[in-house]
Amino acid sequence: ISGKITLKDGITADNNIDLYATKKINDNTCLFLDGYNEYVSIPHPEHFNNSIFTVEAWVNLNSLNSQPIVTKGSEWGLTINNNGQAQFSVKDNNTIQTISDGTHLSTGAWHHLAGIYDGKSVKLIVDKQLIDSSYISSSNHINYGIDPVYIGAYSTNADTIDFNGMIDEVRIWNIAKDSSSINKYQNQQLVGNEGGLIAYYPFNRDSLNSVLFAPDYTVGNKLTHANITKGADTTCIDRKSTRLNSSHLG
């Protein structure tokens, strides 16, 4: 947009400005998993096989044991480790690079996690804080297989180790997003046409022939609708007020 623009309270802007539209999509729902054979699976999507990428999710944990959040085979995973810490792993040139938060997450509270792989390093952001960054000497070569992407499970043992709690606003990008951009928009729901966004699951209550599923809200994307296992469900919860009450959000 260019030209003279009158903003709130009579303030004017003579230079070009950028506007970013956001939309509210059933803001009080999220995915609820009880840790027992409940998860979301996304059939192997070729456009997820990227040399650089970013994965984000909001989580609310019922327990602090080892559990998956978003994973793709042995290639990468945003998870919780045995110490109750956020963890991000990437298998680059058959070497697994892992970084984790040095502090325990809390149960019963919302946390925003983001894993970033830029082809040279892996990074982890927890509640707006860049926790760690690890340089990869043999860079930019992930050996992708044909495993589905799982939300709330590991593809190698999807029926044995599952996520226990709530997951919301899962976003996957084919770009290495910077921390300022992640932090700026983590509390805003997306339109679906943002540059680099390749999958977006806000977990609204959607069903087809009475079967619950998780549609991908990226604009024009019909490839990555996800299957929700029997028993898993979307639950209504005032997650906005819960997040704002978190001391991590600032």
Side-chain angles (χ1 to χ4, degrees), residues 104 123 148 227 249:
H104 297 282
K123 301 176 183 179
N227 302 311
L249 297 183

Side-chain angles (χ1 to χ4, degrees), residues 22-229:
T22 59
K23 62 181 177 180
K24 184 176 181 180
I25 309 176
N26 198 8
D27 193 52
N28 292 328
T29 62
C30 60
L31 181 71
F32 175 77
L33 305 172
D34 68 4
Y36 298 98
N37 300 333
E38 295 181 0
Y39 53 87
V40 173
S41 61
I42 307 166
H44 172 63
E46 290 288 346
H47 64 291
F48 280 13
N49 294 355
N50 297 293
S51 57
I52 60 175
F53 66 92
T54 302
V55 56
E56 301 179 63
W58 279 95
V59 298
N60 191 315
L61 306 170
N62 289 336
S63 61
L64 295 179
N65 58 299
S66 174
Q67 50 191 309
I69 301 170
V70 187
T71 67
K72 188 181 190 308
S74 62
E75 295 99 276
W76 56 262
L78 186 63
T79 62
I80 306 298
N81 65 22
N82 285 319
N83 296 318
Q85 301 165 333
Q87 180 172 285
F88 180 53
S89 302
V90 175
K91 189 175 183 180
D92 183 281
N93 274 340
N94 294 317
T95 299
I96 298 177
Q97 305 287 340
T98 300
I99 53 177
S100 60
D101 186 359
T103 60
H104 297 282
L105 297 178
S106 55
T107 57
W110 284 101
H111 298 279
H112 181 265
L113 313 179
I116 306 163
Y117 175 68
D118 63 8
K120 297 180 180 180
S121 62
V122 289
K123 301 176 183 179
L124 175 66
I125 295 176
V126 178
D127 295 330
K128 293 189 174 181
Q129 301 298 315
L130 179 60
I131 300 303
D132 197 5
S133 178
S134 177
Y135 177 74
I136 299 175
S137 57
S138 56
S139 62
N140 209 9
H141 189 72
I142 300 177
N143 295 318
Y144 280 106
I146 60 173
D147 296 289
V149 170
Y150 282 90
I151 301 174
Y154 294 107
S155 61
T156 54
N157 49 7
D159 294 324
T160 57
I161 303 177
D162 298 328
F163 183 87
N164 185 4
M166 292 174 283
I167 300 177
D168 202 13
E169 289 289 319
V170 172
R171 306 168 181 184
I172 303 176
W173 311 75
N174 63 5
I175 56 177
K177 291 182 68 67
D178 60 78
S179 58
S180 61
S181 176
I182 291 173
N183 294 340
K184 182 177 181 179
Y185 295 105
Q186 67 176 35
N187 283 308
Q188 298 183 24
Q189 295 195 342
L190 304 179
V191 174
N193 62 354
E194 289 79 2
L197 184 68
I198 57 174
Y200 176 38
Y201 299 98
F203 292 113
N204 304 317
R205 178 171 290 277
D206 292 281
S207 62
L208 181 64
N209 297 326
S210 299
V211 177
L212 197 69
F213 73 106
D216 181 356
Y217 273 86
T218 51
V219 173
N221 194 345
K222 305 298 183 183
L223 299 176
T224 55
H225 284 1
N227 302 311
I228 300 180
T229 57

